[in-house]
Amino acid sequence: MYETQGLKNDIIYQFYYIALYDYEKGTELDELRIILYDYEDKEMYLECEGIKLAIEKIEFTQLIQNIINDNGRD
């Protein structure tokens, strides 16, 4: 049981880092969402989780950057 749990985590984190890498290389956030929906249609939920986590991190980072920029203007 523990071995499959580790494998599941590996898949999630592999797709998390792949999605972050793709974003850093110029893939738009909307494109990542399209990829996420494609994996959902194929019922590849572990892969979806990794991509979803990456999208959430990117959105959070953008939000923090906007807050920092807004506070810098004051």
Side-chain angles (χ1 to χ4, degrees):
M1 175 160 174
Y2 293 110
E3 290 178 24
T4 59
Q5 186 65 28
L7 181 59
K8 289 178 184 177
N9 286 339
D10 287 346
I11 292 170
I12 292 169
Y13 285 109
Q14 285 173 3
F15 276 81
Y16 169 76
Y17 288 116
I18 289 169
L20 287 178
Y21 176 81
D22 286 347
Y23 180 76
E24 288 295 321
K25 291 297 181 183
T27 302
E28 297 289 327
L29 204 50
D30 288 337
E31 291 177 69
L32 289 177
R33 288 189 186 100
I34 291 168
I35 294 167
L36 174 65
Y37 299 143
D38 186 43
Y39 279 104
E40 283 178 352
D41 288 342
K42 296 176 183 175
E43 298 181 6
M44 299 173 75
Y45 299 118
L46 295 175
E47 293 82 350
C48 289
E49 185 62 26
I51 297 168
K52 182 176 162 254
L53 286 172
I55 290 171
E56 289 174 354
K57 178 181 175 139
I58 293 164
E59 290 175 334
F60 180 75
T61 303
Q62 290 175 342
L63 176 64
I64 295 299
Q65 191 61 46
N66 287 340
I67 291 170
I68 291 169
N69 289 341
D70 287 346
N71 285 338
R73 292 183 205 157
D74 293 340

